[in-house]
Amino acid sequence: MLTKINHIGIAVKSLEETLPFYRDNLGMPFAGIEEVAEQKVRVAMLQVGESKIELLEPTSEESPVARFLEKNGPGIHHLAYEVVDIEAAIAKLRADGARMIDERPRSGAHGARIAFVHPKSSNGVLTELCQCGH
Ligand code: CO
């Protein structure tokens, strides 16, 4: 059902302050910044091998990432697995009794279709399914 780790999401207070570490110090290819209005975040994607690092900066106090930062401070926010068929993956998880935050896919950065599993069903690790089509 899962094909790889697509990305690791990291909550940051400021993309401008955090980017140089990943792009310049660690030397990761940087694919640009995109605003995902639905989630009230600005997202910077950096490539590492076949996976990515997704830096998430809240654009509003009501952003889930803003609430995360308030509670935990900056750090790892979620783990995203690549799936071939996101509807099938959601259906399997639900059939197995997992609780989903998203029972239907929604749009993430770069045109991906994503769905989050509820952390109650994934032992505290916020888990994202991601169908990127590439
Ligand atoms: Co993500």
Side-chain angles (χ1 to χ4, degrees), residues 7 54 78 80 128:
H7 64 267
E54 177 183 79
H78 66 271
E128 175 186 338

Side-chain angles (χ1 to χ4, degrees), residues 12-29:
V12 305
K13 286 182 181 154
S14 158
L15 288 182
E16 278 65 30
E17 281 173 24
T18 316
L19 252 178
F21 173 71
Y22 291 92
R23 184 191 53 204
D24 306 329
N25 300 21
L26 294 177
M28 294 181 186

Side-chain angles (χ1 to χ4, degrees), residues 7-9 39 45 54 56 78-80 114 116 128:
H7 64 267
I8 296 168
Q39 289 170 271
M45 283 290 195
E54 177 183 79
L56 302 156
H78 66 271
L79 192 52
I114 66 168
F116 281 96
E128 175 186 338

Side-chain angles (χ1 to χ4, degrees), residues 2-134:
L2 312 176
T3 55
K4 66 174 184 183
I5 291 176
N6 180 280
H7 64 267
I8 296 168
I10 297 178
V12 305
K13 286 182 181 154
S14 158
L15 288 182
E16 278 65 30
E17 281 173 24
T18 316
L19 252 178
F21 173 71
Y22 291 92
R23 184 191 53 204
D24 306 329
N25 300 21
L26 294 177
M28 294 181 186
F30 167 53
I33 293 175
E34 185 184 338
E35 188 161 339
V36 182
E38 199 185 344
Q39 289 170 271
K40 301 188 176 72
V41 286
R42 288 204 309 147
V43 178
M45 283 290 195
L46 298 116
Q47 197 73 32
V48 49
E50 59 171 15
S51 302
K52 289 179 278 279
I53 294 294
E54 177 183 79
L55 303 177
L56 302 156
E57 176 200 79
T59 55
S60 147
E61 302 267 289
E62 289 112 65
S63 166
V65 174
R67 291 198 295 270
F68 177 92
L69 285 168
E70 235 166 71
K71 228 172 117 185
N72 309 290
I76 293 181
H77 179 262
H78 66 271
L79 192 52
Y81 298 102
E82 174 92 34
V83 296
V84 178
D85 180 343
I86 194 162
E87 275 90 0
I90 293 170
K92 177 178 179 354
L93 280 159
R94 293 186 68 195
D96 293 345
R99 196 165 139 201
M100 299 295 298
I101 292 175
D102 303 301
E103 299 197 340
R104 260 171 288 171
R106 57 185 158 108
S107 31
H110 305 286
R113 299 168 69 227
I114 66 168
F116 281 96
V117 182
H118 197 282
K120 283 232 159 81
S121 289
S122 49
N123 293 288
V125 178
L126 183 57
T127 299
E128 175 186 338
L129 308 174
C130 176
Q131 184 183 337
C132 296
H134 57 77

